[in-house]
Amino acid sequence: AQSVSQHNHHVILSEAASLELGCNYSYGGTVNLFWYVQYPGQHLQLLLKYFSGDPLVKGIKGFEAEFIKSKFSFNLRKPSVQWSDTAEYFCAVIYYNQGGKLIFGQGTELSVKP
Amino acid sequence: DTAVSQTPKYLVTQMGNDKSIKCEQNLGHDTMYWYKQDSKKFLKIMFSYNNKELIINETVPNRFSPKSPDKAHLNLHINSLELGDSAVYFCASSQGVQTQYFGPGTRLLVL
C-alpha cells in the first residue's frame, strides 16, 4: 500500500531560524503532492501543491517545497520562521491510480519560540 | 461564503447513540470526502463520493454510513457510537484529483 512518511514528529525552532520538513512517499505512479497546515484548533489549509512543471513550488506565507522525483521526496522549507508559524504540518499525496484518495503523512508539529 | 461547511462543530453524546454530521460545499466540485483525525492528529480517509456515487470506502465499520443527496452535500451517519469514535471528522471536496479543500471539522466526543 502507498504511504507517506514525514521525518520529524516535533520540531522546535527560534524565530528567524530556517525550516526544512522532510517528506517521502512510496512509489505508485503519477502523483499530486501537497503540504497542508493546521493551526491549533483549526481546519487544514493548503500551503502549496505540486502537480507538474517546475519542481520548486512556492506557496503562501513564504513557504516553498522542492519535488525530487528520484528521491520520492517533497520537502517543505521556509528561510525564516515566525511565531505565527506554530502549527501542525501535513505532507499529503494523491496517487492517480487510487481514485483521488489523499494519503497523509503523520504530521510534524512545529513550535516556534518568540 | 464558506467554501466547505460542516455542522455541528461540536458533538458530545453518549455511547450507543446515533448521530449525523452534515457537510456542504459551494465550490461546484464533483467529489466529496470524509476524513477522521485521531487524538494523535493522524488523518485517514473514510469515504469519497463522486457525483453522488461512492468511489472510496476504506475499512470503516458498518456503523458509519455516508449519504450524498446531491453533488454539494455529503452527510455522515454513525450508529451505536463507541468511545473509539471520538475524533475530529473533516469533510473535504475537490474537482477530480485536484486540490482538496477542507471544512472546519466536527469534534465528536463519545462519553
Side-chain angles (χ1 to χ4, degrees):
Chain A
Q2 283 91 355
S3 64
V4 180
S5 176
Q6 291 181 236
H7 305 167
N8 312 96
H9 180 63
H10 191 187
V11 173
I12 302 172
L13 296 172
S14 298
E15 274 194 316
S18 64
L19 170 72
E20 180 159 2
L21 300 182
C23 173
N24 285 90
Y25 63 95
S26 60
Y27 173 75
T30 305
V31 295
N32 288 346
L33 301 162
F34 305 85
W35 276 97
Y36 284 88
V37 61
Q38 187 176 27
Y39 297 103
Q42 296 194 23
H43 66 290
L44 285 93
Q45 299 174 40
L46 181 69
L47 268 182
L48 47 78
K49 62 188 178 185
Y50 174 81
F51 289 1
S52 63
D54 188 344
L56 185 61
V57 292
K58 294 192 183 302
I60 61 171
K61 305 186 181 188
F63 286 91
E64 64 178 33
E66 185 176 12
F67 169 53
I68 302 179
K69 189 175 181 179
S70 60
K71 295 184 178 180
F72 300 99
S73 71
F74 190 55
N75 293 353
L76 180 72
R77 298 195 291 251
K78 185 171 184 178
S80 176
V81 295
Q82 300 172 315
W83 177 78
S84 58
D85 292 325
T86 294
E88 190 88 17
Y89 291 81
F90 293 94
C91 179
V93 179
I94 287 179
Y95 292 86
Y96 272 59
N97 62 8
Q98 290 287 308
K101 180 167 60 175
L102 193 59
I103 298 175
F104 283 89
Q106 308 92 316
T108 297
E109 182 182 353
L110 173 65
S111 300
V112 181
K113 297 179 181 177
Chain B
D1 59 346
T2 306
V4 183
S5 59
Q6 294 178 227
T7 53
K9 192 169 182 180
Y10 299 97
L11 190 51
V12 181
T13 188
Q14 300 285 332
M15 269 198 320
N17 283 352
D18 303 338
K19 290 292 178 186
S20 291
I21 308 172
K22 296 186 176 183
C23 177
E24 177 181 0
Q25 55 97 2
N26 63 7
L27 297 166
H29 289 162
D30 61 3
T31 308
M32 296 184 72
Y33 312 81
W34 278 110
Y35 289 86
K36 180 180 180 180
Q37 186 174 44
D38 63 22
S39 58
K40 295 184 179 178
K41 298 195 177 175
F42 184 64
L43 280 146
K44 193 169 190 303
I45 190 165
M46 301 172 70
F47 301 103
S48 159
Y49 269 76
N50 178 272
N51 286 316
K52 302 196 300 176
E53 183 182 342
L54 181 67
I55 56 171
I56 294 175
N57 184 350
E58 291 292 287
T59 49
V60 178
N62 290 338
R63 300 181 294 103
F64 290 79
S65 53
K67 282 190 171 54
S68 181
D70 55 58
K71 271 179 31 174
H73 296 84
L74 180 62
N75 303 325
L76 183 65
H77 188 76
I78 315 170
N79 288 326
S80 303
L81 278 155
E82 300 177 358
L83 293 176
D85 298 332
S86 296
V88 183
Y89 292 84
F90 286 101
C91 177
S93 75
S94 70
Q95 186 62 28
V97 294
Q98 303 300 310
T99 304
Q100 293 184 21
Y101 294 91
F102 285 78
T106 296
R107 292 182 179 276
L108 171 64
L109 179 60
V110 182
L111 302 173

